[in-house]
Amino acid sequence: MVRPVRAIVIAVLVLLVAFASAWSSLALWYRLPLPEVGRLASAVLFGIFGASVVVALFGRRRLRAVLAFAAASVLVLVWWSTIEPQANGVWAPDVARQVTGEFDGDLLTLTNVRDFEWHSTTDFTERWTTRSYDLNKLKSVDMFMSYWSGPAIAHVIMSFGFDDGRYLAWSIEVRRVSGGSFSPLADLFKNSPLVILAADERDVIGLRSNFRGEDVQIYRLRASPAAARLLLREYVSDANALAATPAFYNSLTTNCTTTIIKMMRVAGDAVPTDWRLIVNGYLPEYAYDRGALETSVSLSQLRSAAHIAARAHDDGLSPNFSQAIRVGVPSPQGALRPPPKRRASKTARAAT
């Protein structure tokens, strides 16, 4: 029995050392404050060190090797814990400001609502505004899915509609430095801060549909008025907290989907764990299965009507943009309301 147990222990250690070596090497490469040559040398040396420890696990000096690797890993983690997100930087113009909000009863006043006028992905007129919204006039919540890399991955934007015809979209994004770009791998390693944007749909949606060429889809959600107001309040609360204490964006743990899920749970909505919350391109299927979309039509019909590209291009980012992109999109009838009760199964009905 000793040999099989030893083999299992060694196999587990090999996996742990390999993972820790890969993670530490990438952390050193992306975040060590040295010139590129120094970062590369540090990452390569740690990788070689990890490989030598894996080899040593099969020899007599495995205990020494494990202890040495543990000590080195602790040093890396201590250094890692000292890295804090930058509060002030030379940010790209579209993520330069963090929205904040104040409530006076049900009246919400937002500062730094983005209202850019886009002429191309690089040519725009920059506008940041202050706006007020009456939460008692909140009438709809919509989910936008902007597919930028195939059907599995999308950027998620939530938009709140009011009975005066205005829509307020919320986008959780990477706060890039000026001239920087989005890198899912780099953003696993404290590469960029998080920013929460509140914006006009003509801005944040139109940029993606009309200029970036992303496949933007809209799904109109079922929600009670109370749940919608709570979710909007959570957006404001998180935005204010982020303005006070910056946080890092993380491609897996703190992104446009995970942050929304956290907000929804805080607001009291049950969001059961599901693989589609990670592979977020399939969120519409998840929402449909949960009864969060209009279920009187099939999911394929919802998908077909959800694509806004043609309507967005025909509209050309006019003041009527939000109304134009919703033409023909199935939605729950009437105002915000709770999802319908699930029908009991035949067995359950027979038992009553």
Side-chain angles (χ1 to χ4, degrees):
M1 291 296 291
V2 175
R3 288 184 178 179
V5 171
R6 179 182 296 175
I8 293 172
V9 171
I10 290 175
V12 171
L13 287 174
V14 166
L15 292 174
L16 290 175
V17 170
F19 174 80
S21 296
W23 184 89
S24 298
S25 294
L26 287 169
L28 292 168
W29 163 248
Y30 281 115
R31 299 299 293 146
L32 198 62
L34 292 176
E36 184 174 324
V37 173
R39 291 187 289 113
L40 179 60
S42 300
V44 170
L45 286 173
F46 201 99
I48 293 173
F49 173 52
S52 68
V53 171
V54 169
V55 172
L57 289 173
F58 297 93
R60 294 181 178 179
R61 298 184 178 181
R62 64 174 65 93
L63 180 58
R64 291 183 182 179
V66 168
L67 291 176
F69 187 81
S73 298
V74 168
L75 288 176
V76 171
L77 289 174
V78 170
W79 159 72
W80 185 254
S81 68
T82 65
I83 302 174
E84 298 292 339
Q86 190 176 0
N88 300 302
V90 183
W91 309 119
D94 56 321
V95 291
R97 302 191 191 186
Q98 168 63 60
V99 66
T100 56
E102 293 184 358
F103 285 98
D104 182 6
D106 287 324
L107 182 65
L108 167 63
T109 300
L110 294 175
T111 303
N112 289 326
V113 177
R114 204 178 81 184
D115 181 23
F116 280 30
E117 182 180 343
W118 295 91
H119 310 293
S120 72
T121 55
T122 57
D123 181 18
F124 51 85
T125 301
E126 182 177 345
R127 285 194 298 264
W128 299 91
T129 64
T130 297
R131 298 183 183 178
S132 295
Y133 300 87
D134 185 349
L135 268 62
N136 291 314
K137 297 182 178 180
L138 180 59
K139 71 171 187 177
S140 66
V141 183
D142 300 320
M143 178 176 71
F144 286 91
M145 305 290 297
S146 189
Y147 291 85
W148 52 272
S149 182
I153 301 297
H155 181 66
V156 183
I157 297 173
M158 301 292 282
S159 186
F160 297 82
F162 296 82
D163 63 9
D164 60 2
R166 292 187 298 167
Y167 288 86
L168 178 66
W170 291 80
S171 181
I172 298 167
E173 302 188 12
V174 175
R175 198 171 204 181
R176 313 176 321 279
V177 295
S178 183
S181 59
F182 172 64
S183 170
L185 179 58
D187 286 323
L188 290 171
F189 296 93
K190 296 185 175 183
N191 189 61
S192 303
L194 183 75
V195 65
I196 299 178
L197 301 173
D200 268 8
E201 289 185 349
R202 282 196 306 167
D203 172 349
V204 74
I205 302 299
L207 168 64
R208 289 168 166 80
S209 62
N210 289 32
F211 297 109
R212 290 184 181 172
E214 298 178 11
D215 178 16
V216 183
Q217 302 174 20
I218 180 174
Y219 297 90
R220 315 211 68 182
L221 302 179
R222 293 179 182 274
S224 69
R229 287 193 292 268
L230 278 175
L231 181 56
L232 181 51
R233 286 180 178 273
E234 284 304 315
Y235 266 107
V236 176
S237 176
D238 272 27
N240 289 344
L242 197 58
T245 306
F248 280 111
Y249 182 95
N250 185 285
S251 304
L252 290 179
T253 61
T254 312
N255 55 47
C256 63
T257 303
T258 58
T259 306
I260 291 171
I261 292 166
K262 185 208 69 145
M263 291 178 184
M264 294 178 71
R265 284 176 172 158
V266 170
D269 192 12
V271 186
T273 301
D274 191 286
W275 65 272
R276 292 167 292 189
L277 300 178
I278 300 172
V279 188
N280 70 353
Y282 300 100
L283 273 177
E285 285 86 344
Y286 176 80
Y288 190 84
D289 290 344
R290 293 286 304 158
L293 305 181
E294 181 55 57
T295 53
S296 64
V297 297
S298 68
L299 180 59
S300 62
Q301 289 175 291
L302 288 180
R303 277 280 196 190
S304 178
H307 301 273
I308 73 166
R311 299 189 295 271
H313 282 281
D314 288 344
D315 177 79
L317 303 186
S318 78
N320 197 47
F321 178 81
S322 292
Q323 288 71 32
I325 61 175
R326 286 171 169 80
V327 172
V329 179
S331 62
Q333 298 298 312
L336 288 169
R337 59 192 179 94
K341 293 182 179 179
R342 298 268 185 182
R343 291 183 178 179
S345 66
K346 292 181 180 180
T347 303
R349 290 200 300 270
T352 59

